[in-house]
C-alpha cells in the first residue's frame, strides 16, 4: 500500500537533538523540521511526526549547521576520491579548493602535480599517475563537467589558481623566472580567468610568499609561479575580479610582509567598486601574538573607513604541530629546514 504523502508538511523531522545554531547562542534541545531543503521550524516542543516524510531521532547527538571548509588543498584528493568521506563524517558540508594559487584546471597533469605535491607534502609518485589517468580537461568548463559526473560528498566551490594559469600559458620554466609575460600571454591569462568565473569559480587565488616550493625535475625547489608575478600582472587580473565582483584569495609575503598594504589598497572602495579580498595568516599569528592587534585594526580601517571588503583567513584556536621527518612543508617556514629540503 502506497503511503499518502498529501498531508506531509516536512520532508525531514530531526527530533531530540542538542542544537547548536552557529550564532554563539547557548546550545538547547530542539526539534527541527526541514522542507524542500530549508529549515522551516525549530521548536523546543515536540513536533507532529505524522507530518514528516522521514523522522530522525537525534537523541544524545549534536545537531548543527554544516561546517564550511574555507581553506583546503583537497585538489588532488577530490579528483581521486570525490566523496571526501573523512571531511563529511566530521560535519563538513562545503569545501573550498584551488587556494594559494594552486588549482588543477588549465595546466598539464605533470605541471599540476609539481605545483602541488611538495607544497602539500604528498608523494609525487602517488599523485602524478592519478592526474595522468583522470585529468582529461584543459579548461574550467571541462573541470566543472568532471565533478558534475562524479559522486561528490560535500558541496564544492573553487578558486582558479594564478600559478595554474601562469604555467599553462608560459610553461613551467618561464613561469618560475623573472621573465615578464608578453601582452599575448597576459591576454591569455585574462581569458582563462574570465572562463573560470563563467564556469562557476568564485575568484582567483594567488601567492606572494616564496616559502612554498615546486616538486619535479624541471623547476625543483623554485617558489610557486605566482610569486614571480609583478604588480602589473596582478592588477590586470584584479581588474577582472573587481568588475565581476569575484574574490581574491592569497597570502602576503611572510618574510617582508610590507606588500600587505598593497592588498589593503586593492580592497578599498573609495570612488570605485571594492574588491573582495581574503588573505591567509596562520603561523604568523602564532609566532607573533602582537599581530592579532594589527589584523583587527587593519580590517576595521579597510572595511569601515576605506569602504573595502577585506577578510583575514586565520586559525580559530592555538595549535601544536607534531612532526616526524623532514618531508613536511612546515619545515619550509625555517631557513635551515628549507635548506635541508632543497637537497634532492
Amino acid at each position: 500500500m502506497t503511503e499518502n504523502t498529501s498531508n506531509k508538511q516536512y520532508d525531514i523531522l530531526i527530533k531530540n537533538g542538542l542544537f547548536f545554531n552557529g550564532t554563539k547562542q547557548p546550545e538547547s534541545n530542539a526539534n527541527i523540521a526541514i522542507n524542500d531543503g530549508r529549515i522551516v521550524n525549530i521548536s523546543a516542543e515536540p513536533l507532529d511526526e505524522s507530518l514528516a516524510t522521514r523522522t530522525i531521532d537525534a537523541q544524545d547527538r549534536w545537531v548543527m549547521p554544516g561546517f564550511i571548509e574555507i581553506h583546503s588543498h583537497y585538489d588532488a584528493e577530490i579528483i581521486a576520491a570525490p566523496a571526501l568521506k573523512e571531511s563529511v563524517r566530521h560535519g563538513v558540508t562545503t569545501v573550498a579548493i584551488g587556494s594559494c594559487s594552486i588549482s588543477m584546471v588549465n595546466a598539464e597533469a605533470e605541471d599540476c602535480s609539481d605545483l602541488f605535491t611538495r607544497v602539500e607534502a604528498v608523494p609525487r609518485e602517488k599523485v602524478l599517475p592519478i592526474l595522468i589517468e583522470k585529468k582529461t580537461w584543459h579548461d574550467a568548463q571541462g573541470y566543472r563537467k568532471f565533478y558534475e559526473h562524479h559522486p561528490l560528498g560535500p558541496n564544492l566551490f573553487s578558486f582558479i589558481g594564478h600559478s595554474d594559469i601562469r604555467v599553462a600559458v608560459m610553461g613551467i620554466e618561464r613561469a618560475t623566472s623573472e621573465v615578464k609575460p608578453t601582452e599575448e600571454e597576459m591576454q591569455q591569462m585574462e581569458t582563462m580567468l574570465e572562463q573560470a568565473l563563467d564556469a562557476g569559480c568564485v575568484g582567483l587565488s594567488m601567492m606572494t610568499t616564496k616559502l612554498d616550493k615546486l616538486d619535479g625535475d624541471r623547476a625543483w625547489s623554485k617558489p610557486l609561479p605566482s610569486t614571480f608575478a609583478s604588480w602589473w600582472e596582478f592588477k590586470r587580473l584584479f581588474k577582472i575580479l573587481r568588475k565581476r565582483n569575484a574574490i581574491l584569495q592569497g597570502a602576503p609575503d611572510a618574510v617582508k610582509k610590507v606588500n600587505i598594504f598593497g592588498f589593503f589598497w586593492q580592497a578599498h572602495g573609495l570612488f570605485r567598486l571594492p574588491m573582495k579580498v581574503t588573505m591567509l595568516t596562520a603561523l604568523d599569528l602564532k609566532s607573533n601574538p602582537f599581530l592579532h592587534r594589527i589584523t583587527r585594526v587593519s580590517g576595521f580601517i579597510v572595511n569601515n573607513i576605506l569602504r573595502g571588503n577585506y577578510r583575514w583567513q586565520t586559525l580559530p584556536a592555538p595549535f601544536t604541530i607534531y612532526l616526524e621527518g623532514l618531508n613536511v612543508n612546515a619545515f619550509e617556514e625555517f631557513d635551515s629546514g628549507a635548506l635541508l629540503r632543497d637537497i634532492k
Side-chain angles (χ1 to χ4, degrees), residues 27 65-66 87 93 95 104 113 124 129 145 152 189 195 213 222 245 258 262 272 276 299 301 329:
E27 67 275 13
S87 283
T93 56
V95 169
M104 298 189 175
S113 177
R124 184 177 189 266
K145 287 180 181 178
L152 289 173
M189 282 191 269
Q195 290 174 343
K213 306 295 178 62
K222 286 190 174 182
N245 196 30
V258 69
R272 67 175 185 182
K276 297 176 180 176
I301 292 173
N329 63 334

Side-chain angles (χ1 to χ4, degrees), residues 229-288:
S230 66
W231 275 97
W232 169 82
E233 182 176 333
F234 284 146
K235 287 192 286 187
R236 290 277 295 263
L237 300 173
F238 294 170
K239 184 177 180 180
I240 295 172
L241 297 179
R242 185 174 286 107
K243 179 184 68 175
R244 299 287 297 267
N245 196 30
I247 303 168
L248 171 68
Q249 185 278 330
D253 189 326
V255 177
K256 297 179 180 178
K257 296 183 173 65
V258 69
N259 73 339
I260 190 59
F261 294 102
F263 295 111
F264 291 160
W265 184 253
Q266 291 299 319
H268 88 77
L270 293 176
F271 311 110
R272 67 175 185 182
L273 292 173
M275 184 171 72
K276 297 176 180 176
V277 178
T278 175
M279 286 283 132
L280 176 67
T281 175
L283 293 180
D284 303 282
L285 292 186
K286 179 69 174 177
S287 62
N288 187 349

Side-chain angles (χ1 to χ4, degrees), residues 31 113 116 132 162-163 205 222 267 275 280 332:
N31 301 280
S113 177
F116 180 81
I132 290 174
H162 180 226
S163 288
S205 69
K222 286 190 174 182
M275 184 171 72
L280 176 67
E332 307 280 18

Side-chain angles (χ1 to χ4, degrees), residues 114 118 172-173 176 213-223:
D114 290 351
R118 181 170 173 182
I172 198 164
E173 290 88 355
T176 52
K213 306 295 178 62
L214 268 66
D215 209 339
D217 299 319
R218 298 164 300 160
W220 165 257
S221 208
K222 286 190 174 182

